[in-house]
Amino acid sequence: MNIVVCIKQVPDEPGIRIDWERMTLIREGVESIINPLDRVALEAGLDLRGRAGGLVTVLSMGPLRSEEALREALAAGADHAILLTDPAFAGSDTLATSHVLARAILRLGSFPDLLLCGVQTIDSDTGHVGPQIAEELNLPQVCGVQEISLEGDSLVVERLSDGFLETVRVSLPALVSVNRELCPVRALPLGALETAFSQKDITRWGREELGLSEEEVGFKGSATRVQRLLPPAPTRKGRVVSGSPHLLVDHATRTLEALGILDEEDGHS
Ligand SMILES: Cc1cc2nc3c(=O)[nH]c(=O)nc-3n(C[C@H](O)[C@H](O)[C@H](O)COP(=O)(O)OP(=O)(O)OC[C@H]3O[C@@H](n4cnc5c(N)ncnc54)[C@H](O)[C@@H]3O)c2cc1C
């Protein structure tokens, strides 16, 4: 079974800052990690390879430093890594990103049996990319999967949808996006990391190698423009009260009574 896992390098959560002028995330100088759900997708791919044989290829679109994420994926056990990188890709929205990833998948020696993605990232967090790749490649897709079993040339998967657990059979080739519950993520062995960072090769493809025009990528290839960026309005008053425990309980009780959350009788019982 040939499996492709799509991996995005994202800023580590506490480091996320915003460039308010360009309305994009500041990625420079921020510690980066593999998007956590993409690590889950990778583990799932490696597990399926263990059961069915085949190869796992990891694919990432991003700047040159995304190579680190791919090297970590190689250390985890992936067979091949491909970085899609080109200054022309800067400013791509999710549609242009999916287009580049889909084109790279078509350019692989043989079409993969299974594409694995995370459901969403922790930075842009749209959940668009997996479904858009599937649409572009005309593949069946199942999103939010938390259990996978292999039955012949189909997968039987479970996903949580609107509070119900659905079991879906999907024929291959297909795209599956995964949830955190699917499987635990192993720590990376130090020796494997050393080998991946010093000895393993990463293939690089840019716009021209992918046969894409300038109009298909970056801002020109994007269907959306960010018009405004606003921090969410605070929903808490953030009032701080200090004093003895007795005074604090009294204060909390009276405040809840005043808001009609607590009856006067309840408050004093
Ligand atoms: C108008 C606009 C302009 C933008 N401009 C910029 C910009 O200038 N610079 C910038 O860095 N970002 C920019 N972005 C954000 C960029 O489009 C997203 O980071 C990217 O499309 C991925 O979207 P997401 O993080 O929401 O992925 P999701 O759809 O939430 O990701 C789902 C899954 O898809 C896969 N995936 C997602 N992205 C990648 C990837 N790059 N490589 C491999 N797999 C992936 C992963 O498996 C991931 O778990 C812009 C977005 C918009 C809307």
Side-chain angles (χ1 to χ4, degrees):
M1 175 184 262
N2 284 333
I3 300 168
V4 168
V5 184
C6 293
I7 283 184
K8 185 181 180 192
Q9 190 184 46
V10 294
D12 204 359
E13 259 175 306
I16 290 181
R17 287 173 299 133
I18 293 176
D19 178 338
W20 292 99
E21 245 172 57
R22 296 172 58 213
M23 292 192 282
T24 53
L25 296 179
I26 299 171
R27 295 167 196 271
E28 294 74 34
V30 178
E31 190 156 339
S32 297
I33 54 171
I34 296 180
N35 180 51
L37 286 182
D38 303 353
R39 280 288 281 122
V40 177
L42 176 59
E43 289 292 336
L46 296 171
D47 177 57
L48 283 168
R49 182 190 64 184
R51 286 189 262 160
L55 294 172
V56 171
T57 301
V58 281
L59 191 60
S60 188
M61 173 180 143
L64 282 178
R65 68 190 160 84
S66 303
E67 263 197 22
E68 286 165 24
L70 290 173
R71 289 195 185 280
E72 285 179 26
L74 289 169
D79 300 285
H80 302 296
I82 304 173
L83 177 65
L84 311 173
T85 192
D86 196 303
F89 297 160
S92 295
D93 69 356
T94 64
L95 195 66
T97 303
S98 311
H99 186 50
V100 173
L101 289 165
R103 181 60 67 91
I105 290 160
L106 286 174
R107 201 182 176 277
L108 296 170
S110 58
F111 195 81
D113 303 294
L114 178 63
L115 302 177
L116 288 170
C117 289
V119 170
Q120 76 234 110
T121 58
I122 58 166
D123 58 348
S124 298
D125 192 13
T126 63
H128 291 176
V129 171
Q132 285 174 172
I133 296 174
E135 279 300 307
E136 182 154 348
L137 297 175
N138 200 21
L139 291 176
Q141 55 175 297
V142 195
C143 297
V145 164
Q146 55 184 49
E147 184 103 35
I148 299 181
S149 49
L150 190 58
E151 289 188 11
D153 54 3
S154 301
L155 291 183
V156 177
V157 300
E158 271 186 13
R159 66 162 174 199
L160 199 60
S161 178
D162 288 335
F164 290 92
L165 207 52
E166 286 182 346
T167 304
V168 178
R169 178 184 292 275
V170 59
S171 56
L172 299 175
L175 182 141
V176 165
S177 74
V178 309
N179 254 335
R180 193 174 301 278
E181 289 71 25
L182 179 60
C183 59
V185 168
R186 288 167 303 133
L188 298 179
L190 202 56
L193 275 170
E194 269 173 26
T195 310
F197 274 81
S198 58
Q199 291 168 28
K200 299 258 175 149
D201 289 330
I202 292 185
T203 305
R204 279 189 205 162
W205 288 339
R207 182 183 65 75
E208 284 181 11
E209 282 98 339
L210 293 173
L212 291 163
S213 70
E214 283 180 2
E215 281 62 40
E216 290 174 275
V217 298
F219 278 117
K220 285 189 193 161
S222 295
T224 53
R225 292 276 178 274
V226 178
Q227 297 285 317
R228 277 198 312 155
L229 205 58
L230 300 170
T235 52
R236 294 179 180 193
K237 290 206 168 109
R239 200 179 295 151
V240 178
V241 185
S242 53
S244 68
H246 180 78
L247 190 130
L248 293 178
V249 170
D250 192 50
H251 178 84
T253 313
R254 285 181 200 290
T255 307
L256 293 174
E257 278 169 7
L259 291 169
I261 295 170
L262 205 65
D263 284 339
E264 246 175 76
E265 265 180 31
D266 295 338
H268 297 294
S269 62

